[in-house]
Amino acid sequence: MDELPIGRRVAYWRGRRKLSQQVFADRLGKSKSWVDKVERGVRRLDKFSVLYEIAYILEVDVQLLLGKDPERRADALNCIDQVEVQEIRAALERYDSMSAYFDAAPYPPPLVDMRKAVNHAWLTYQYGRYGMLTRALPKLLRDAQAADAGHDGDHSREAAHLLGQVYQIASSVLRKLGECDLAWLAADRSMAVAQRADDPLLAGIATTRVCNAMVAMGRPRPALELNLTIANRLAPGGGNDTDPGRLSVYGLLLLQGAMAAARLGDSATVDDLINGAHEAALLLGSDQNHYWTSFGPTNVELHRAAAAVELGDGGRAVEVHQQRIAEPAFNTLLPERRAHHLLDLARGFAQIGDVANAGEMLLRGDRLAPSEIRCRPIAHEVMSDVLRRTRGAPPSLIAELAEHMGVGV
């Protein structure tokens, strides 16, 4: 879009928002004729105040109207491009709840529709369909924010709960795709909203999203400390119940703490936290999906292998996979979890110099959830390593996957 005149960009984003010229003009407080002249380039847009108002109504960053968005990547079908990043950023930067403090939204989205949309978004994430999810996120964020701002009374907590979940979904997928600053922002928003939702377990899961983003941004120590602080407060027993939701959230906090400790090279803390999570998983009995955690005995072993990779012990990660993870239980996990583990195994095999099996794990992961392999920066690093250390020409399937990933052979 860089070569388009600014009026054409306005028309493009107006079309994306499904606004007629008349509706757009009404929201701007202008005439339809004024909008038409701007879009045809007859009238210049030379006032920043007007540009920012247009950007606000179109729910995009003003830089997009000025033609600053980069070209779409070749892998945009499965991943995310900068146009979508900017749309998500614009949605995250809205403050509907503050606006509603002064002027309540007249028609908030019905909560029954929001519940369906949020559940669908979670499943889209857990099936590893990241491109589909990132294209839906801007609207989902705006709708959830509007619902949170517009519902009161008995419905306010549920609206806040749904918004908190949407922020968590956004944080999770943005972190995977390498947009760590936005992942942290979305996770931080989720923690604040969870307090209004008055759900300690939602706040616990929000903590793991914040800590994941912190680790990705190179701050594992505060991430470890925060995970442990909240895990201790939510630990089953004493004054706390031992229902499946609490066990799942508590266990995941310990697992994410273990991953932060692994990044610090603290193997003793890693073992302690994973063993604690294992005890919680045994109480739970099986792999379940309370609070969208996918927590259970098998997921604990997946994290045991992942932590070994972070510690640089690829041989241990392969051993965990071969000796501690039962294939039937593994195959019942959702695609994102399995493909993520196969990517960890690829890293483990690469660490011990077995690039053939590293490549095979990438292929298996790609068959399960292509976005987990084709879109994640860490997967690109593994593929580059496999190609660099393969003697002669790489196998045809590896070369084909590398081409899809945009990694040079």
Side-chain angles (χ1 to χ4, degrees):
M1 286 175 58
D2 287 351
E3 70 280 2
L4 292 180
I6 190 169
R8 290 282 301 280
R9 295 191 198 104
V10 171
Y12 169 79
W13 286 107
R14 178 180 59 75
R16 286 279 294 267
R17 297 290 176 260
K18 295 181 170 57
L19 297 175
S20 67
Q21 283 190 339
Q22 185 62 62
V23 170
F24 182 48
D26 291 343
R27 293 187 182 180
L28 270 175
K30 303 287 187 180
S31 67
K32 180 182 176 182
S33 173
W34 185 92
V35 170
D36 182 65
K37 288 177 181 178
V38 165
E39 293 184 349
R40 288 189 292 114
V42 175
R43 187 183 185 97
R44 294 180 60 187
L45 273 178
D46 50 10
K47 289 185 178 181
F48 274 100
S49 60
V50 177
L51 268 175
Y52 278 105
E53 189 174 2
I54 289 173
Y56 179 79
I57 291 170
L58 295 178
E59 298 169 343
V60 299
D61 193 293
V62 72
Q63 295 300 314
L64 290 177
L65 297 181
L66 295 172
K68 303 298 184 182
D69 50 309
E71 292 291 328
R72 286 179 176 264
R73 298 190 325 222
D75 58 356
L77 178 63
N78 293 317
C79 301
I80 189 171
D81 62 29
Q82 289 305 306
V83 170
E84 290 156 358
V85 169
Q86 293 295 351
E87 285 197 78
I88 293 170
R89 184 186 299 278
L92 285 171
E93 290 175 346
R94 291 169 64 90
Y95 288 87
D96 285 23
S97 59
M98 181 57 69
S99 299
Y101 179 77
F102 298 99
D103 185 15
Y107 303 110
L111 291 182
V112 63
D113 293 342
M114 287 306 309
R115 283 194 295 271
K116 293 177 182 177
V118 172
N119 287 341
H120 183 265
W122 273 120
L123 290 173
T124 303
Y125 172 76
Q126 293 192 322
Y127 275 83
R129 297 167 182 165
Y130 305 146
M132 180 186 301
L133 179 57
T134 56
R135 284 185 282 278
L137 261 180
K139 182 178 186 303
L140 183 60
L141 281 162
R142 293 191 299 270
D143 287 349
Q145 289 163 342
D148 178 58
H151 286 284
D152 54 18
D154 294 339
H155 300 299
S156 61
R157 285 185 182 178
E158 183 180 2
H161 203 288
L162 291 169
L163 177 59
Q165 291 183 60
V166 174
Y167 281 139
Q168 290 189 34
I169 295 166
S171 178
S172 297
V173 71
L174 288 166
R175 178 182 56 84
K176 279 182 177 286
L177 299 177
E179 299 292 338
C180 297
D181 60 331
L182 287 182
W184 182 87
L185 173 61
D188 187 67
R189 290 282 184 85
S190 176
M191 289 189 75
V193 172
Q195 296 176 51
R196 288 196 288 103
D198 195 25
D199 185 342
L201 299 184
L202 182 68
I205 292 300
T207 300
T208 68
R209 313 300 180 195
V210 168
C211 293
N212 284 343
M214 292 171 71
V215 170
M217 297 168 73
R219 297 186 56 79
R221 187 166 299 282
L224 171 61
E225 293 171 355
L226 180 56
N227 268 314
L228 294 186
T229 297
I230 304 305
N232 288 334
R233 292 179 180 177
L234 294 179
N240 292 332
D241 57 44
T242 57
D243 67 70
R246 182 177 296 276
L247 287 169
S248 298
V249 173
Y250 169 70
L252 190 63
L253 280 161
L254 295 183
L255 291 179
Q256 296 308 321
M259 296 307 299
R263 187 66 66 92
L264 291 166
D266 185 350
S267 59
T269 298
V270 168
D271 289 342
D272 285 345
L273 294 178
I274 288 182
N275 289 337
H278 179 67
E279 292 177 5
L282 291 179
L283 290 174
L284 189 63
S286 61
D287 293 281
Q288 300 177 30
N289 203 17
H290 299 285
Y291 280 82
W292 306 95
T293 58
S294 294
F295 181 75
T298 309
N299 202 0
V300 169
E301 298 308 322
L302 266 57
H303 280 80
R304 195 186 302 274
V309 172
E310 288 296 332
L311 289 166
D313 192 351
R316 173 62 175 157
V318 172
E319 180 183 297
V320 168
H321 175 76
Q322 294 174 341
Q323 298 181 10
R324 300 183 67 101
I325 299 176
E327 188 171 348
F330 178 71
N331 289 337
T332 64
L333 297 177
L334 288 161
E336 179 273 334
R337 283 282 77 218
R338 287 185 282 159
H340 187 136
H341 175 65
L342 292 171
L343 175 53
D344 287 332
L345 274 184
R347 297 171 64 198
F349 276 118
Q351 286 176 355
I352 62 177
D354 188 346
V355 293
N357 267 317
E360 177 60 27
M361 294 304 104
L362 292 176
L363 290 172
R364 285 179 58 187
D366 184 66
R367 287 193 288 270
L368 267 175
S371 294
E372 181 70 18
I373 304 302
R374 301 185 187 193
C375 300
R376 296 195 61 188
I378 187 65
H380 287 220
E381 293 178 17
V382 178
M383 177 58 84
S384 294
D385 191 31
V386 168
L387 295 177
R388 184 174 60 254
R389 297 164 65 185
T390 298
R391 295 183 178 181
S396 59
L397 290 178
I398 292 293
E400 182 180 351
L401 177 57
E403 182 178 358
H404 284 303
M405 295 170 69
V407 178
V409 179

